[in-house]
Amino acid sequence: MPGWGKLLQERSDLNLVVINADLVPNEPGAVSAMLAQTGLAAAENWTFDDSFVERLRYEIDPRWQGDIPRTLLIARDGATTVIEGVADLDNVRAWLDGQTRSR
């Protein structure tokens, strides 16, 4: 997560939304503290507030089988790139650069 905080500071073109989709609910204060500690306090943050997490995950991505972390890169044209597991942030930077060039 600290890498995402650094990337958010580096890239003004990154519109980052963090979704807390853990099966075990986290206390809001703990989530806020973790976001602040990792440099993500300014990122939009969503937390599941429904115990039926499968439905919520389906709403985000019908192909999502529950792997965490999961990154969805959504292009300007709506095309989605899915990264299962820990994202290589150099690849995310390259993807962002491609989005900038395609304007």
Side-chain angles (χ1 to χ4, degrees):
M1 297 286 289
W4 283 104
K6 181 179 177 196
L7 184 61
L8 185 60
Q9 290 176 345
E10 291 173 8
R11 301 294 298 249
S12 62
D13 56 333
L14 175 60
N15 184 10
L16 181 66
V17 177
V18 179
I19 300 174
N20 180 355
D22 293 341
L23 290 175
V24 177
N26 294 304
E27 293 295 320
V31 172
S32 296
M34 184 274 303
L35 291 170
Q37 182 179 2
T38 57
L40 293 169
E44 186 173 345
N45 178 48
W46 291 76
T47 300
F48 286 178
D49 192 28
D50 185 331
S51 61
F52 189 23
V53 296
E54 291 83 3
R55 178 183 61 82
L56 297 170
R57 288 181 177 157
Y58 181 86
E59 292 297 324
I60 294 168
D61 181 354
R63 297 166 293 175
W64 190 1
Q65 298 297 310
D67 53 300
I68 295 176
R70 182 177 186 85
T71 302
L72 290 129
L73 303 174
I74 305 171
R76 285 178 168 65
D77 65 1
T80 304
T81 301
V82 176
I83 302 170
E84 296 178 353
V86 177
D88 179 329
L89 296 183
D90 287 335
N91 290 341
V92 173
R93 285 180 182 90
W95 182 87
L96 286 167
D97 290 342
Q99 294 300 303
T100 302
R101 286 191 295 270
S102 67
R103 281 190 199 175

